[in-house]
């Protein structure tokens, strides 16, 4: 059998034989279409290795952007008898000290000098914080030239100090029935807009009511985090105060206020 190519589309097949005299001749010839006799298939394309071992193309891992980290220092302490006194009222100097710890960039000794208030002398524990707040325009003297550091902090006073410290400008709609005509109405509504305060079920704000220590740290933690704290932020940190049980409603806020926090919120 002999195959010969005629054209790109045909092949010729000869079957050779001999006659009775011994002469060779083709006894059969066929024209075969090209699709019957196919040329060899090309080799399969090479597939580059995946995952990086031994070169070639590597599948890139998609980068997931992280949330901005949150960081704030410890900003409140307990008392010498190992209590926190969360249900006790926050004093004016205690809240100023909190703002000082959260915002002051200068060292405490930079505020030593002549006192700005007749009732806050250089030997008082809150002196540097009070002088810082005075210099920042957060607090002012009363008509007697005093600051009244140990007086209970009212809700309106907390709003005024906080709004000035954070330089807040956005104002909420007034939905309260007891702050119209109050001298600090605008600052109260700015603090409400920032999420520091909510009102009571009876529709009141009670601007002249006192603020407890637990209430104050709760408001500040919510503001600093922009949300409720996740369990991973506080559940592994213990408190040693004798008057703050793990079941206390403000336990997680007190943990973060006393210890500070640095991390990426989840």
């Amino acid at each position: 059998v002999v195959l010969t190519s005629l054209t790109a589309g045909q092949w010729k097949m000869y079957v050779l034989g001999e006659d009775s005299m011994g002469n060779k001749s083709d006894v059969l010839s066929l024209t075969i279409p090209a699709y019957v006799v196919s040329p060899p298939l090309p080799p399969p394309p090479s597939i580059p290795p995946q995952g990086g071992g031994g070169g070639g193309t590597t599948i890139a891992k998609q980068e997931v952007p992280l949330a901005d980290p949150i960081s704030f220092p410890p900003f409140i302490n307990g008392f010498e008898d190992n209590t926190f006194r969360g249900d006790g009222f926050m004093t004016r100097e205690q809240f100023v000290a909190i703002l000082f710890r959260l915002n002051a960039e200068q060292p405490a000794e930079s505020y030593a000098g002549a006192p700005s208030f007749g009732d806050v002398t250089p030997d008082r524990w809150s002196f540097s914080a009070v002088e810082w707040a005075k210099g920042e325009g957060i607090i002012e003297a009363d008509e007697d030239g005093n600051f009244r550091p140990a007086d209970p902090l009212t809700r309106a006073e907390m709003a005024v100090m906080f709004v000035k410290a954070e330089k807040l400008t956005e104002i909420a709609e007034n939905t309260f029935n007891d702050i119209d005509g109050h001298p600090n109405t605008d600052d109260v509504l700015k603090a409400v807009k920032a999420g520091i305060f909510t009102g009571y079920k009876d529709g009141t704000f009670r601007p002249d009511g006192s603020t407890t220590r637990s209430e104050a740290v709760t408001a500040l933690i919510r503001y600093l985090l922009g949300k409720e704290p996740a369990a991973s932020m506080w559940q592994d940190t213990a408190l040693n105060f004798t008057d703050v049980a793990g079941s206390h409603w403000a336990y997680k806020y007190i943990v973060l206020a006393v210890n500070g926090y640095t991390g990426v919120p989840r």
Side-chain angles (χ1 to χ4, degrees), residues 8 34 106 125 152 161 234:
Q106 294 177 267
W125 72 269
M161 293 182 191
W234 59 269

Side-chain angles (χ1 to χ4, degrees), residues 14-56:
Y14 297 91
V15 179
L16 301 179
E18 293 183 0
D19 59 16
S20 58
M21 301 298 294
N23 297 317
K24 295 181 178 182
S25 63
D26 57 305
V27 296
L28 179 65
S29 65
L30 296 172
T31 300
I32 305 171
Y35 63 79
V36 175
V37 183
S38 301
L41 295 173
S46 60
I47 301 175
Q50 306 290 322

Side-chain angles (χ1 to χ4, degrees), residues 20-235:
S20 58
M21 301 298 294
N23 297 317
K24 295 181 178 182
S25 63
D26 57 305
V27 296
L28 179 65
S29 65
L30 296 172
T31 300
I32 305 171
Y35 63 79
V36 175
V37 183
S38 301
L41 295 173
S46 60
I47 301 175
Q50 306 290 322
T57 303
T58 301
I59 298 176
K61 182 179 180 181
Q62 185 177 3
E63 295 295 335
V64 179
L66 297 176
D68 292 334
I70 292 175
S71 179
F72 55 84
F75 59 79
I76 195 169
N77 301 314
F79 294 89
E80 293 179 355
D81 61 356
N82 207 32
T83 60
F84 182 74
R85 306 179 194 175
D87 295 331
F89 58 77
M90 175 76 69
T91 67
R92 287 164 55 83
E93 66 183 337
Q94 286 172 355
F95 190 68
V96 163
I98 287 175
L99 296 178
F100 177 65
R101 293 168 186 144
L102 289 174
N103 291 283
E105 297 179 356
Q106 294 177 267
E109 55 267 26
S110 299
Y111 303 100
S116 300
F117 303 97
D119 56 353
V120 183
T121 56
D123 59 348
R124 191 176 185 90
W125 72 269
S126 62
F127 177 77
S128 294
V130 170
E131 290 299 320
W132 166 82
K134 176 65 168 63
E136 293 292 316
I138 297 171
I139 57 175
E140 299 175 355
D142 63 15
E143 61 273 13
D144 298 320
N146 294 323
F147 175 62
R148 294 175 284 111
D151 281 6
L153 178 75
T154 69
R155 286 165 58 83
E157 289 171 343
M158 179 175 169
V160 171
M161 293 182 191
F162 186 81
V163 165
K164 289 181 177 178
E166 295 297 307
K167 299 177 174 60
L168 302 178
T169 58
E170 293 188 35
I171 191 166
E173 180 183 357
N174 183 9
T175 60
F176 306 110
N177 58 33
D178 62 343
I179 63 172
D180 283 335
H182 193 279
N184 304 127
T185 296
D186 284 353
D187 285 328
V188 166
L189 295 176
K190 289 175 184 177
V192 170
K193 182 70 174 180
I196 291 296
F197 286 117
T198 57
Y200 294 92
K201 292 181 179 180
D202 61 359
T204 62
F205 180 78
R206 306 176 193 175
D208 298 320
S210 61
T211 305
T212 69
R213 286 166 56 83
S214 291
E215 289 170 343
V217 299
T218 297
L220 290 172
I221 291 297
R222 286 173 176 167
Y223 173 78
L224 292 169
L225 295 179
K227 61 178 184 178
E228 286 293 315
S232 60
M233 296 178 177
W234 59 269
Q235 64 182 358

